[in-house]
Amino acid sequence: MTLLKSWVASANTDATDFPLNNLPYGVFSTEGTPRCGVAIGDQILDVAALEAAGVLTLDGGPYLQSGAWNDVMAAGSAVWADLRAKLQAALAEGAAEQDSYEPHLVAQADATMHMPFVVAEYTDFYAGKHHAFNVGTMFRGPENALPPNWLSIPIGYNGRASSVVVSGTDIVRPNGQLKGPNDELPRFGPSARFDIELEMGAIVGQPSDGMISVQQADDNIFGYVLLNDWSARDIQAWEYQPLGPFQAKATATSISPWIVTRAALEPFRTSTPDRDRELLPYLKEPGPMLYDIDLEVGLTPENGRESIIARTNYNEMYYSAAQQLCHHTTSGCAMRVGDLLGSGTISGPDKENRGSMLEMSWGGKEPMTLETGEVRSFIEDGDTLVLRGAAQGHGYRVGFGEVSGMLLPAPEVPDFAR
Amino acid sequence: MTLLKSWVASANTDATDFPLNNLPYGVFSTEGTPRCGVAIGDQILDVAALEAAGVLTLDGGPYLQSGAWNDVMAAGSAVWADLRAKLQAALAEGAAEQDSYEPHLVAQADATMHMPFVVAEYTDFYAGKHHAFNVGTMFRGPENALPPNWLSIPIGYNGRASSVVVSGTDIVRPNGQLKGPNDELPRFGPSARFDIELEMGAIVGQPSDGMISVQQADDNIFGYVLLNDWSARDIQAWEYQPLGPFQAKATATSISPWIVTRAALEPFRTSTPDRDRELLPYLKEPGPMLYDIDLEVGLTPENGRESIIARTNYNEMYYSAAQQLCHHTTSGCAMRVGDLLGSGTISGPDKENRGSMLEMSWGGKEPMTLETGEVRSFIEDGDTLVLRGAAQGHGYRVGFGEVSGMLLPAPEVPDFAR
């Protein structure tokens, strides 16, 4: 596929994340209530206004009036396809709809972005093999790096939906229980090993009740976002046995404001890697269900300039989101519209491909030097972390924009906690 | 306190869970839409109808028209107190309101109960010391039974809100990945070690954003339910390292249909036990925040009669719900109206006080003999499990009713999983 031309001039370049091929879904405001919009070039098409005006109509609608994309998700795949087809036709070069659509464009520079959907529940996985191997090596040595179940199960745990925030939201360093390996007792105070995790988030667009196949799971995924699973490593180390991470992961989970639909990513499908151990039949994929998406992490110290501290690709995952969603339903677990599945940290094979600072600095033993000459093992107050991602086509790209967050100092420990 | 007399005759006895002292909140239907009701004796007061008719008015209302108690919770503690005071006055012996209220009574025998509230998110804790010690002993021996963090942290993990169902809902035995200790590879099939966990559930009635104290946490709790955290032990054993239980706990979580308010439980407050290790200041309780609630578990084989297989008390918990909720907020985790916190399995010191069949049968090594002569290590298809609970006053009790569920056979493994 090549670049599809639009009458929105800024969309007709390989420098934009948002050509006509993409058309990601977000929620924006200029003044007043947040409303559903679609990115095209450097503009946002106010589809809520178009639907309210009767210019854009969808079977069984309205679906675009709630300030969230959940209603569209719940409407099902026929509506998903119809909306995308209508928007691609109306925004195409030479389209007769230009006159009626053009008044509903808003410059992205003038808009504030909001959460694109209501998160029903949030599940985070641990499905990147390089990440699991790196973390396992640090804690248990290379011989025992991967847990025995890792090659059979897309390991996941339930996260906290209330932690999910949109890109641009400031992140406050958490307090928590901390106990160093040489401390006799824990103390309460600010996390000193606060970290990112570079992930993709898959959004469940259709409900299920009972076990579904990998193919059905893929069909039920509405789209993808970039996801930063902020993690307090020192809180995690003390709390996570035996029932998994809890407060270490509850401070915030940032997502990109634009949902890139599965349809937009179709040209970039790729397969999960060869298996080190044969999967059980239910987890086998009938076709390629990963995507070739280049990813990078930038770190900007306060009043400094950005260093790119990692480059990797979503195709490094061992398990696809479809496999994860399928596994999620094995016990009969009901899935709902708006469930968010974090991929797990996406690290590649080499040092520059690591998706967490825990791995980049090897647990703090090998601090990184930034372009400014500053040194980092974990995030410092005032640092802004940005994840970016895009699938690269011929002369165009399908991008996610970015997910950014600045770390603010921890709140003062309250009197009742001293 | 003694029994408060009502003009509803069936409420004036120590044989009912629902005297005027209690007034728990549920959602019921006879025909048509589920609506908010309050239990009194063997009746339900249709408070939704009373509010709609203008007989019962609450400041800032209506709050009782959505078929769930979340609106009342969100209204805050002044409304909680006002509603309880108005109902206790109107239902009291000799009340002038009898004429206007009596037409809105429905016999519990004629009603179907529904979920009493919309669960925002569900967190399950592991805060019963006898349970943690028993399970730890089975897996690691008595010397290493309690994890090192256990005496410092109310250990919890995020559960799956979509798993929560009301008492009476049939439970379907899950399929899952299973790998016995002597198996080389896992297989996919029905759980053979399906279990209960006897717990109390605390319902968060007010939101918080940032860390709150134990006292504030207690103030934010709207009420309590009985909770059965159905657990597939064999799925759990293979999946839970390193990130905790996932599909083992996602099949179902049953709760009692009646929310017993914190106000109704006030006379039964009791303290958590002496500490084996001093708690960090933030976790110290300014007063008694547990409750003296007798609990029991009944098992009825299909077409058989019930055996009581455990008796224990909520006062066996090491951490209160207020301590758990406080800890939940340490990282800045936002809590929401309708969050549900499971206490963790409530086992007492003796063999007959164990709150899970895993403990009762000591991992299957010591099967129990039921009154029918049948033998159980874990739940068999067709078994009905019932939890009951009540706080015992002088000449009255404040009860929760029961939470019951029958286990149905596992679904056939689908073709794509063979």
Side-chain angles (χ1 to χ4, degrees), chain A residues 119-126 140 147-150 152-163 172-178 185-188 211-214 235-236 238-251 277-278 280-283 324 326-336 339 341 414-418, chain B residues 119-126 140 147-150 152-163 172-178 185-188 211-214 235-236 238-251 277-278 280-283 324 326-336 339 341 414-418:
Chain A
V119 180
E121 300 198 54
Y122 167 49
T123 308
D124 193 32
F125 286 85
Y126 183 62
R140 293 179 294 273
N149 53 19
W150 202 93
S152 297
I153 299 180
I155 296 288
Y157 65 99
N158 300 295
R160 179 81 192 168
S162 74
S163 74
V172 180
R173 181 187 296 275
N175 290 311
Q177 278 204 28
L178 310 170
L185 289 171
R187 61 193 172 79
F188 188 79
M211 184 178 179
I212 60 175
S213 67
V214 173
I235 296 173
Q236 187 175 354
W238 171 231
E239 79 174 358
Y240 92 106
Q241 286 287 11
L243 298 184
F246 184 50
Q247 289 303 287
K249 301 280 194 169
T251 301
R277 179 194 297 164
E278 191 179 1
L280 284 168
Y282 79 92
L283 282 173
Q324 293 171 337
C326 164
H327 179 71
H328 209 318
T329 67
T330 48
S331 68
C333 180
M335 303 302 295
R336 304 196 284 201
D339 282 342
L341 310 185
D415 283 345
F416 61 76
R418 290 168 191 266
Chain B
V119 180
E121 301 199 54
Y122 167 48
T123 307
D124 193 31
F125 286 86
Y126 183 63
R140 293 178 293 271
N149 53 18
W150 201 93
S152 298
I153 299 180
I155 296 288
Y157 65 98
N158 299 296
R160 179 80 194 170
S162 73
S163 75
V172 180
R173 180 187 296 276
N175 291 312
Q177 278 203 29
L178 310 169
L185 289 172
R187 61 193 173 80
F188 188 80
M211 185 177 179
I212 60 175
S213 67
V214 173
I235 296 173
Q236 188 174 353
W238 170 231
E239 78 174 0
Y240 91 105
Q241 287 285 14
L243 299 185
F246 183 51
Q247 289 303 286
K249 302 281 195 168
T251 302
R277 178 194 299 164
E278 191 179 359
L280 284 168
Y282 80 93
L283 283 173
Q324 293 170 337
C326 164
H327 179 71
H328 210 318
T329 67
T330 47
S331 68
C333 181
M335 303 302 295
R336 305 197 284 200
D339 282 342
L341 310 185
D415 283 344
F416 60 75
R418 289 169 192 267

Side-chain angles (χ1 to χ4, degrees), chain B residues 12-222:
Chain B
N12 298 331
T13 156
D14 64 2
T16 181
D17 274 349
F18 309 124
L20 186 55
N21 308 59
N22 191 348
L23 299 182
Y25 300 150
V27 170
F28 75 103
S29 65
T30 42
E31 49 196 14
T33 332
R35 50 201 196 276
C36 290
V38 177
I40 177 79
D42 61 8
Q43 303 290 305
I44 300 170
L45 183 67
D46 185 344
V47 290
L50 282 165
E51 189 191 53
V55 179
L56 174 64
T57 58
L58 295 165
D59 201 33
Y63 299 116
L64 300 166
Q65 303 306 310
S66 72
W69 283 85
N70 300 62
D71 291 350
V72 172
M73 296 186 211
S77 58
V79 169
W80 306 353
D82 186 41
L83 174 59
R84 181 169 173 81
K86 282 179 170 151
L87 292 173
Q88 271 197 335
L91 291 166
E93 201 171 53
E97 293 92 336
Q98 181 171 351
D99 287 351
S100 56
Y101 274 58
E102 200 158 16
H104 297 289
L105 289 178
V106 174
Q108 284 170 29
D110 297 337
T112 302
M113 299 306 297
H114 304 269
M115 276 291 295
F117 68 108
V118 177
V119 180
E121 301 199 54
Y122 167 48
T123 307
D124 193 31
F125 286 86
Y126 183 63
K129 192 173 155 199
H130 299 292
H131 171 72
F133 185 80
N134 286 339
V135 172
T137 300
M138 273 182 255
F139 288 107
R140 293 178 293 271
E143 309 76 26
N144 302 305
L146 286 187
N149 53 18
W150 201 93
L151 294 171
S152 298
I153 299 180
I155 296 288
Y157 65 98
N158 299 296
R160 179 80 194 170
S162 73
S163 75
V164 184
V165 296
V166 74
S167 174
T169 306
D170 289 337
I171 308 302
V172 180
R173 180 187 296 276
N175 291 312
Q177 278 203 29
L178 310 169
K179 185 183 155 310
N182 302 320
D183 300 341
E184 197 190 335
L185 289 172
R187 61 193 173 80
F188 188 80
S191 167
R193 292 162 72 94
F194 199 64
D195 197 1
I196 57 158
E197 290 196 341
L198 166 61
E199 304 192 18
M200 298 291 299
I203 300 164
V204 176
Q206 282 284 287
S208 58
D209 193 11
M211 185 177 179
I212 60 175
S213 67
V214 173
Q215 181 62 58
Q216 186 65 53
D218 192 62
D219 292 346
N220 285 2
I221 293 171
F222 181 69

Side-chain angles (χ1 to χ4, degrees), chain A residues 266-285:
Chain A
E266 281 301 328
F268 308 102
R269 278 189 184 264
T270 185
S271 296
T272 47
D274 288 343
R275 299 290 128 181
D276 300 357
R277 179 194 297 164
E278 191 179 1
L279 291 176
L280 284 168
Y282 79 92
L283 282 173
K284 289 184 180 167
E285 292 168 305

Side-chain angles (χ1 to χ4, degrees), chain A residues 170-174 194 302 380-383 405-411:
Chain A
D170 289 337
I171 308 303
V172 180
R173 181 187 296 275
F194 198 64
E302 200 162 13
E380 302 286 336
D381 291 346
D383 287 353
M406 180 160 80
L407 185 64
L408 303 182

